[in-house]
Amino acid sequence: MPIDLRSDTVTTPTEEMRNAMRDAVVGDDVYGDDPTINELERLAASMVEKEAALFVTSGTQGNQVAVLTHTHRGDEIIAEATSHIVHHETAGLAVIGGVQPRTIQGVNGQMPIDEIVAAIREPDVHNPRTGLICLENTHGDSGGRILPLNYMKDVYEISRAHHLPIHLDGARLFNAAVGLGVQPKEITAYTDSVQFCLSKGLSAPMGSILAGSKEFIDQARKWRKMLGGGTRQAGVVGAAGIVALNDMVSRLPEDHRHAKQLAEGLAQIDGIEINAIEVESNILFFSVAPVGLSSTEFIERLKSYDILANTYGSSQIRFVTHREIETEDIERTIACVKEICANERTHV
Ligand code: TLP
């Protein structure tokens, strides 16, 4: 088995999940008849203290359904420049949502408050209407950085003052909660809707949750149907989602510890650039520029040691820790990176 650090999405279902999937009592969820999905949606809504929740097939679908539900065609939405919804959802905002992203470069995933305020449109005939503010916590492309509660609150206050909804892409909401040492509902209190993934660190094979007010979820259910996300005996996979929410959150601190250990080990290696202090959850980025290899060349070298990773730009590599990464894997990865760097230096 390779050491797969490409993403926490690679986690496979646990034995308990497989058993729950086999035994799941199911029905046709488009008719609202699937007891397992109904239970999952009730549990999920209560964890983030929202009135209702909707099972969606993926995080991307959850985010796109949220945008469709909150906004009108031709609206502008304010989002961080490198956020997943802008950067990694194949221009779904434009193609599916019919909205225009108004991006703001964040610092550690946080858009400066004054820039958010300045980006909200005046009602002028030339202007699109600002329809939504999107936040992402944890923020993936900044290296899994966690938006603190006081920042969430500040953005929320602006949104109330301007009568704008807030959608949170909380694909890794539970990582953020663990990192902050709070309950997820303390984060989602500052949002109107939230999407969180069951299929990342929580290890379910697929699915995400979109949660919000009852009225919002009633509307979202129709958009999900339009996007082809109305599935039938969905409880077969939803059952794994229930196990994910009940049993898998408490082990996330281990992933954070492993990411920190990995970052601290990498920081000691001549040829690697990383600031281990900035690693707050289960994602870390590091640069291989000093060793004189491109990120693509570097991950090819890693592959020869049976270690998988993703590149990010020409010099950065991303590692993501998860349930199937053990402490020995962390140690081995550090040793292999060290060897790759040492070999490179002897060749030049
Ligand atoms: N992230 C994936 C890739 O798409 C980049 C990963 O490996 O990290 N929001 C955030 C913040 C995400 O990181 C992701 C997936 C999603 C949404 C989309 O979730 P899925 O993959 O379920 O559509």
Side-chain angles (χ1 to χ4, degrees):
M1 284 289 280
I3 299 175
D4 195 343
L5 295 161
R6 287 173 301 171
S7 183
D8 45 9
T9 58
V10 302
T11 46
T12 54
T14 62
E15 202 51 39
E16 291 75 14
M17 286 180 186
R18 290 184 186 275
N19 291 338
M21 289 165 80
R22 187 197 56 224
D23 298 339
V25 183
V26 295
D28 190 329
D29 183 47
V30 173
Y31 292 107
D33 283 351
D34 190 307
T36 305
I37 290 294
N38 294 341
E39 185 190 336
L40 170 64
E41 291 178 347
R42 270 195 304 275
L43 172 65
S46 74
M47 288 174 94
V48 292
E49 217 162 66
K50 298 288 179 204
E51 281 174 6
L54 184 69
F55 178 69
V56 288
T57 56
S58 65
T60 301
Q61 188 178 66
N63 284 340
Q64 296 299 327
V65 165
V67 170
L68 285 163
T69 311
H70 281 300
T71 66
H72 299 293
R73 195 170 164 75
D75 278 359
E76 195 163 67
I77 74 164
I78 297 174
E80 202 283 322
T82 61
S83 59
H84 195 278
I85 205 166
V86 171
H87 229 215
H88 299 297
E89 298 191 9
T90 55
L93 287 180
V95 177
I96 301 171
V99 296
Q100 168 164 289
R102 177 78 178 267
T103 58
I104 297 174
Q105 189 64 52
V107 181
N108 305 330
Q110 299 174 38
M111 296 178 278
I113 298 289
D114 56 336
E115 292 186 40
I116 298 179
V117 175
I120 299 171
R121 295 288 194 156
E122 297 293 336
D124 178 285
V125 70
H126 302 90
N127 293 353
R129 191 187 75 117
T130 303
L132 181 66
I133 300 175
C134 285
L135 296 177
E136 185 177 310
N137 202 5
T138 63
H139 186 276
D141 279 10
S142 63
R145 297 304 293 261
I146 299 174
L147 311 188
L149 282 184
N150 60 2
Y151 175 79
M152 301 281 308
K153 184 165 181 278
D154 288 348
V155 180
Y156 186 71
E157 281 168 4
I158 290 163
S159 76
R160 295 314 92 165
H162 292 84
H163 309 290
L164 287 174
I166 294 194
H167 172 66
L168 175 66
D169 178 353
R172 297 185 179 85
L173 174 70
F174 291 93
N175 295 87
V178 160
L180 290 171
V182 301
Q183 293 299 314
K185 65 183 181 191
E186 293 174 64
I187 301 173
T188 55
Y190 301 118
T191 69
D192 296 284
S193 61
V194 57
Q195 176 281 118
F196 60 89
C197 293
L198 304 166
S199 59
K200 296 198 163 58
L202 302 185
S203 299
M206 63 166 283
S208 272
I209 295 293
L210 179 63
S213 70
K214 179 168 180 325
E215 193 189 346
F216 173 85
I217 292 298
D218 287 347
Q219 274 297 317
R221 196 174 288 281
K222 290 189 81 123
W223 286 116
R224 181 189 71 170
K225 189 78 181 81
M226 188 188 280
L227 296 186
T231 49
R232 304 297 178 172
Q233 285 73 39
V236 168
V237 283
I242 294 174
V243 177
L245 292 179
N246 283 332
D247 298 351
M248 305 305 286
V249 176
S250 61
R251 58 151 310 285
L252 292 177
E254 188 182 326
D255 298 344
H256 293 199
R257 275 196 300 277
H258 279 156
K260 193 61 127 186
Q261 187 189 345
L262 193 46
E264 284 167 355
L266 294 178
Q268 306 298 317
I269 300 172
D270 198 7
I272 299 296
E273 250 172 33
I274 183 169
N275 188 350
I277 291 166
E278 291 175 358
V279 175
E280 295 179 332
S281 64
N282 69 328
I283 300 178
L284 51 121
F285 286 98
F286 59 95
S287 170
V288 294
V291 84
L293 289 172
S294 72
S295 54
T296 313
E297 289 166 332
F298 203 93
I299 64 160
E300 282 309 312
R301 303 275 204 286
L302 282 171
K303 217 181 263 175
S304 68
Y305 290 89
D306 230 6
I307 298 171
L308 306 180
N310 280 328
T311 59
Y312 195 79
S314 56
S315 63
Q316 298 242 101
I317 289 178
R318 183 181 84 156
F319 282 163
V320 184
T321 56
H322 52 79
R323 192 186 101 242
E324 288 165 43
I325 298 295
E326 313 278 348
T327 305
E328 304 86 85
D329 299 325
I330 301 292
E331 287 160 0
R332 181 169 153 71
T333 302
I334 295 167
C336 293
V337 169
K338 199 170 179 175
E339 197 169 298
I340 293 169
C341 291
N343 286 345
E344 205 46 41
R345 275 197 308 277
T346 47
H347 288 149
V348 285

